[in-house]
Amino acid sequence: YIVKIGGRYMAKYKCTICGHIYDDAKEKIRFEDLPEDWVCPLCGVPKKFFELIEETEEIVNDSEENSNKVKISNNNVAITRNNDKCINCGMCKTTCIKREDMKFDNESELCVNCGQCVQTCPVKSLTPKNELNKLLNAKKDGKILIAYTSPSTRVAFGDIFGLESGSFTQNKLVGFLKQLGFDYVLDTTFAADLTIMEEASELVERIKNNGKIPMFTSCCPAWIKYAEQFYPEILDNISTCKSPIGMMGMIVQNYFTKVKNIEQKDIFTVAITPCTAKKYEINREEISGTDLVLTLYELEEYIHENNIKYEDINEDTFDSILGEGSGAGVIFGNTGGVMEAALRTAYYLITGNNLEMKDISFHSVRGYNGLREATIKIEDLELQVAIIDGISNAKKVLEEVKNGNSKYHYIEIMNCVGGCIGGGGQPKININQEDEIKKNRITNLYKRDDYQKIRFSHENPEIIKIYKDYLNSPLSKVSEEILHTNYIDRRKGDKY
């Protein structure tokens, strides 16, 4: 959108984060002449986040009442808006358009509950729906409280207290949850390993038996809802495995309670996550076992309201039985982590051997740039894989799969940039430091993987034991019944 006024070319630029318009014709300095340290007057991001407005692009009138707001339904189980705080800046709508590839018309304004708008809202008008009262009520009712923590929470918990971004604070997180009143604190990394056992086995089975290929990962509930709403044609391509939290809930209900001699009716299970979409996931009829999802964002509010200091939290460790995960499970929190963990076990399932230590890390699937491709050679098989983070980067690949001309065997999709470490329920970050913070979180999860003695899901002793004592084998009748799920065409919308 460039015009010539008084012998000078004038243009309009839009902030890709909050939607603020910089109009050369109205400003004293043209955008291109602004100093490099100039920042958006609305949300504070640097010049690099602005883009030239094309002539055909509609410019939203900022003064038009509510024109810039993303609609948040009262039935939305994940996100809520405080209208008194909202300044109608348009950042939430821009986030939906740029990060979620959403279109705003009567037919396609569908929320995937990802909470990325929560992270970019400059005034905390949008927040995860706070449900801590449900935990406190369960505690009053004398329930046995059981928590399980997602891999990426342990590199974000320290942000609440101002620690260096990416600090690994696993034992402090466990200690805090124990002090909060949980009787057992378990590690969802165990369920990540369980997911890999089932998903890698499913991938190998599909390849060997000419099943539906490519196969998509199924760990991210926002991605799953996006597929159900916009690409129901490819639902058969998605792994039938529940997410790690979906599996964890069922294992706690059906296995942990028996081992501990606890009645199911006496427990209250809580997933501690980086993800607002998990609040939606546990409300799906196909997913059960978890009573409540609490995000770190909600825990941060509780910590600040109660003036809890980091140094006052005693370190503690996960409880045994479902408290041990491999390095492969830990890296689930990163984009590419599910793919890498699955490839480690798929290699073993196909060859009968583990990868050499020097080859464990599939560096070709690691990164932070939207779409990555790799060819992984396993004996005579050349496995074509793709890793996508940020759902707006997925459209080209999804269209290829929909039209039947995809070259891939296996595709990982994570809704949030960086993977779960960038979830909408993480402690709120400064948008100017977003890349730095996310990369620090990613780096420290990979460091934890390097540190782990066990780096293969299939070598986790607790995984070996649960298959021996309860599940029998991956894809067994028992596994299919409690660890796998189905998907629904939601093109007409969803009550949540």
Side-chain angles (χ1 to χ4, degrees), residues 120-136:
T120 60
C121 176
V123 292
K124 293 189 176 181
S125 169
L126 290 167
T127 62
K129 187 162 284 188
N130 195 311
E131 299 180 288
L132 193 64
N133 64 303
K134 294 182 180 179
L135 170 65
L136 300 179

Side-chain angles (χ1 to χ4, degrees), residues 18 60 78 109 122 130 166 249 295 300 310 333 341 386 388 393 447 479:
C18 72
V60 177
E109 192 172 346
N130 195 311
T295 63
E300 180 178 23
Y310 186 76
I388 301 168
N393 296 311
K447 283 182 179 178
S479 294

Side-chain angles (χ1 to χ4, degrees), residues 441-473:
R441 291 173 180 173
I442 290 171
T443 296
N444 285 316
L445 283 184
Y446 281 128
K447 283 182 179 178
R448 184 66 179 186
D449 171 37
D450 293 337
Y451 168 81
Q452 295 281 100
K453 291 181 179 179
I454 300 170
R455 301 185 68 189
F456 299 96
S457 298
H458 55 271
E459 289 190 348
N460 181 343
E462 292 193 0
I463 290 292
I464 295 171
K465 180 173 174 56
I466 198 170
Y467 277 108
K468 179 182 177 182
D469 295 347
Y470 180 53
L471 295 173
N472 300 320
S473 64

Side-chain angles (χ1 to χ4, degrees), residues 325-350:
S326 71
V330 167
I331 62 175
F332 254 60
N334 297 334
T335 171
V338 177
M339 175 69 71
E340 181 172 332
L343 290 175
R344 293 180 191 181
T345 292
Y347 185 94
Y348 171 79
L349 293 174
I350 292 172

